[in-house]
C-alpha cells in the first residue's frame, strides 16, 4: 500500500507540473462534479422491478415524496450547460483568432461528443436484438433501452447549442427565460397543447449555456452577479413550488402529472439559475483545492473520461441488477420495490458495486473517447514503464491536458513523457 501511494503521488505531481498555468482548473472541477451528480442521481432514484414476468422502471420518489431534496443535490445538468457554454464560447473565440474555420471547429467539438455515443448505441442494439430472440418481453427490452438511451437527449441538445454557439454566445439569458415563462403560462394557465412544452428543451438549457458564454467574456469577475443568481434563483424556485403548483422534485417522477425536467419548466430554470450562481461562487475555493496535485489528478482523469462515465453508468447499474437475478431471492435495494427507507439504505450499499461495474465498462470502452489520429485511428495510451495501466492513464493525462487548454487556447508544451509513452491531446 505505501508503494502504491508513493507511485500515485509521483504521477499526480507529473499531471500537476504538465498542466498549463493558464488553465482554469475550477472549470474542470465543476464539469466533473456535474457528471458525478447525474450518475449518482440516476443510481439513487432508478430501480428495476419484475412485474408479470417483465422488468419495469420504478423510482423511490414516487413512493417517498420526502426524498425530493435528493434531486436538488444530484440534478446538476444546469452546471454542465454552464461549463459547456463557457468552454464553447471561449474555444470559438480562440479558433477565430487563430484563423480556424467554423466548420473545422464545430466538427472537432461534435466529434468528441458522438464518437463514444456510437459504441453504446451499437452495443445495445445488439443486446436488444439478442434479448428479443431469447424470449424477453418487449416491455422488458423497452425499459432497458429507455434507461440507456433516454439520457442521450441531453447530448443532442448540448450538440445543437454547441453548433449554434456563434449565434447564441452573446444572447442575454433573460430572453430564453422569458420564452420558458411564456410557454409555461400557455401550458398551465391557458390550457395550451402539451407539445408546446418541448420548446423549453432548447430554451430552458439555453439559459445556463448563455450564462456560461457571458462568464467567458468576464461577466462574473465580481461576486455580486453570482450572488444575485443564487439568491434570486432560490427565491423564485420557492415561490413557484409553494404557490405556483410546480413539483418539488427536480427530476421526473413516474406517475406524476407534471415533470420539472421532461420538458424543463420555469421551476427547473430558476433552480438552474441558483445552481449556476452557487457554482460561480465556488470557483475560488475549487481553484485552491485543485492546486493540490492529488486532487487535481483525480479531476483531470474524470474529465478525460466524462463521456464514457456518462454513457455507460446506466449499463453498469443494469448489469449488476441482472447478475443479481442469478440468486434465488430478491436482493434488497436491487430487485425489491423502492418504497421504504430500508430500500434507500440498501441502495447506498450497492453504489460501490455499481462503481466497480462502471470501471469495467470504462476499461472496455474508454478508447472511443480518445482523440483521433490522422487517418481516423484512435490514439493509443501506452503504459509508462513500471506502472499498471490505470496509473499509466493518470500519467498520460498530463500530456492530454497540456496539449489543449479548456478554452482551446494554445498551450505551452508539456514535459516530454518517458520513452515509449504516447498520447493524443484533447480539451
Amino acid at each position: 500500500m505505501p508503494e502504491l501511494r508513493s507511485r500515485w503521488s509521483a504521477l499526480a505531481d507529473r499531471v500537476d507540473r504538465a498542466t498549463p498555468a493558464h488553465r482554469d482548473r475550477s472549470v474542470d472541477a465543476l464539469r466533473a462534479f456535474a457528471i458525478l451528480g447525474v450518475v449518482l442521481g440516476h443510481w439513487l432514484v432508478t430501480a428495476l422491478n419484475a412485474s408479470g414476468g417483465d422488468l419495469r422502471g420504478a423510482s423511490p420518489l414516487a413512493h417517498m415524496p420526502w426524498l425530493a431534496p435528493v434531486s436538488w443535490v444530484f440534478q446538476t445538468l444546469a452546471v454542465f450547460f454552464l461549463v459547456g457554454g463557457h468552454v464553447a464560447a471561449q474555444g470559438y473565440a480562440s479558433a477565430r483568432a487563430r484563423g480556424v474555420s467554423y466548420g473545422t471547429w464545430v466538427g472537432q467539438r461534435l466529434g468528441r461528443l458522438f464518437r463514444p455515443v456510437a459504441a453504446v448505441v451499437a452495443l445495445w442494439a445488439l443486446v436488444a436484438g439478442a434479448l428479443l430472440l431469447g424470449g424477453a418481453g418487449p416491455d422488458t427490452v423497452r425499459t432497458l433501452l429507455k434507461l440507456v438511451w433516454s439520457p442521450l437527449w441531453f447530448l443532442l441538445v448540448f450538440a445543437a447549442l454547441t453548433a449554434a454557439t456563434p449565434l447564441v454566445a452573446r444572447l442575454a439569458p433573460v430572453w430564453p427565460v422569458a420564452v420558458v415563462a411564456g410557454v409555461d403560462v400557455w401550458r398551465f394557465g391557458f390550457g395550451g397543447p402539451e407539445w408546446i412544452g418541448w420548446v423549453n428543451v432548447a430554451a430552458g438549457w439555453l439559459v445556463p449555456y448563455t450564462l456560461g458564454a457571458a462568464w467567458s467574456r468576464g461577466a462574473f469577475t465580481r461576486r455580486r452577479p453570482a450572488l444575485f443568481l443564487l439568491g434570486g434563483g432560490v427565491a423564485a424556485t420557492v415561490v413557484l413550488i409553494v404557490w405556483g403548483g410546480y413539483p418539488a422534485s427536480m427530476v421526473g417522477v413516474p406517475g406524476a402529472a407534471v415533470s420539472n425536467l421532461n420538458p424543463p419548466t420555469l421551476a427547473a430554470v430558476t433552480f438552474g439559475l441558483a445552481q449556476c450562481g452557487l457554482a460561480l461562487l465556488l470557483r475560488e475555493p475549487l481553484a485552491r483545492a485543485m492546486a493540490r496535485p492529488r486532487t487535481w489528478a483525480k479531476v483531470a482523469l474524470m474529465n478525460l473520461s466524462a463521456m464514457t462515465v456518462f454513457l455507460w453508468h446506466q449499463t453498469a447499474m443494469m448489469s449488476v441488477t441482472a447478475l443479481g437475478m442469478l440468486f434465488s431471492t430478491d436482493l434488497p435495494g436491487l430487485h425489491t420495490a423502492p418504497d421504504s427507507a430500508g430500500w434507500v439504505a440498501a441502495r447506498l450499499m450497492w453504489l460501490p458495486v455499481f462503481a466497480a461495474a462502471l470501471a469495467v465498462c470504462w476499461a472496455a470502452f474508454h478508447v472511443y473517447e480518445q482523440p483521433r489520429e490522422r487517418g481516423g485511428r484512435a490514439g493509443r495510451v501506452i503504459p509508462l514503464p513500471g506502472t499498471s495501466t490505470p496509473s499509466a492513464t493518470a500519467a498520460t493525462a498530463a500530456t492530454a491536458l497540456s496539449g489543449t487548454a479548456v478554452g482551446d487556447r494554445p498551450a505551452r508544451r508539456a514535459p516530454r513523457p518517458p520513452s515509449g509513452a504516447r498520447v493524443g491531446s484533447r480539451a
Side-chain angles (χ1 to χ4, degrees):
M1 187 65 69
E3 181 183 353
L4 290 176
R5 287 199 187 112
S6 176
R7 184 175 294 176
W8 168 249
S9 295
L11 292 173
D13 288 338
R14 175 179 170 77
V15 173
D16 182 66
R17 289 193 303 269
T19 303
H22 58 68
R23 189 181 186 97
D24 187 347
R25 300 184 185 192
S26 67
V27 174
D28 297 86
L30 289 173
R31 178 164 42 200
F33 288 145
I35 289 293
L36 288 176
V38 171
V39 170
L40 291 174
H42 281 163
W43 285 351
L44 287 170
V45 303
T46 303
L48 287 172
N49 295 143
S51 175
D54 288 316
L55 285 178
R56 299 185 184 278
S59 172
L61 295 172
H63 300 278
M64 296 172 283
W66 53 268
L67 285 177
V70 173
S71 68
W72 306 345
V73 177
F74 294 108
Q75 204 289 79
T76 51
L77 285 177
V79 177
F80 191 92
F81 279 91
L82 172 77
V83 172
H86 172 77
V87 172
Q90 195 176 67
Y92 180 65
S94 175
R96 289 189 61 188
R98 291 181 283 116
V100 177
S101 69
Y102 166 77
T104 299
W105 174 81
V106 77
Q108 292 173 344
R109 286 281 173 187
L110 298 187
R112 293 171 190 170
L113 283 176
F114 289 119
R115 276 195 302 270
V117 171
V120 71
V121 170
L123 177 69
W124 271 97
L126 293 174
V127 170
L131 287 173
L132 291 172
L133 291 174
D139 287 341
T140 292
V141 176
R142 189 181 302 112
T143 296
L144 297 178
L145 289 180
K146 182 178 180 181
L147 287 177
V148 173
W149 288 354
S150 60
L152 298 184
W153 69 262
F154 133 84
L155 291 180
L156 294 176
V157 176
F158 189 80
L161 294 182
T162 298
T165 295
L167 297 177
V168 303
R170 293 190 173 274
L171 182 69
V174 67
W175 297 113
V177 171
V179 170
V180 173
V183 167
D184 275 15
V185 168
W186 190 2
R187 285 175 65 199
F188 304 131
F190 295 98
E194 284 298 312
W195 61 262
I196 196 65
W198 295 104
V199 172
N200 287 353
V201 173
W205 299 117
L206 187 57
V207 175
Y209 195 87
T210 53
L211 283 173
W215 173 18
S216 73
R217 301 192 302 270
F220 296 100
T221 53
R222 296 182 179 180
R223 293 173 57 86
R224 182 174 297 177
L227 284 169
F228 176 77
L229 284 178
L230 175 58
V234 168
T237 305
V238 169
V239 169
L240 290 171
I241 292 174
V242 175
W243 291 287
Y246 286 86
S249 173
M250 288 299 151
V251 298
V253 178
V258 177
S259 167
N260 273 323
L261 197 59
N262 191 30
T265 63
L266 184 59
V269 170
T270 57
F271 177 77
L273 290 175
Q275 275 192 327
C276 290
L278 179 60
L280 292 166
L281 289 170
L282 290 175
R283 285 177 299 163
E284 291 184 9
L286 285 174
R288 289 193 295 270
M290 293 304 106
R292 295 193 285 270
R294 292 188 185 184
T295 305
W296 166 239
K298 294 172 185 175
V299 168
L301 282 174
M302 176 63 199
N303 274 275
L304 291 174
S305 298
M307 281 293 295
T308 303
V309 169
F310 176 80
L311 290 171
W312 292 97
H313 73 278
Q314 292 286 59
T315 298
M317 183 270 291
M318 288 186 288
S319 299
V320 173
T321 303
L323 289 174
M325 290 180 177
L326 298 176
F327 292 87
S328 59
T329 183
D330 289 340
L331 299 176
L334 202 61
H335 308 124
T336 54
D339 56 3
S340 67
W343 183 93
V344 176
R347 175 50 66 104
L348 291 173
M349 300 297 290
W350 284 106
L351 295 186
V353 184
F354 295 161
L358 180 56
V360 173
C361 294
W362 175 89
F365 297 104
H366 79 281
V367 65
Y368 296 100
E369 198 170 356
Q370 298 300 317
R372 312 299 289 183
E373 292 179 340
R374 292 181 182 179
R377 294 180 302 169
R380 293 185 299 132
V381 178
I382 301 177
L384 298 177
T387 64
S388 62
T389 299
S391 297
T393 305
T396 56
T399 48
L401 286 167
S402 63
T404 309
V406 165
D408 284 351
R409 294 173 294 180
R412 70 171 183 264
R413 187 177 298 277
R416 184 179 297 276
S419 175
R422 183 186 183 282
V423 290
S425 65
R426 72 181 291 240

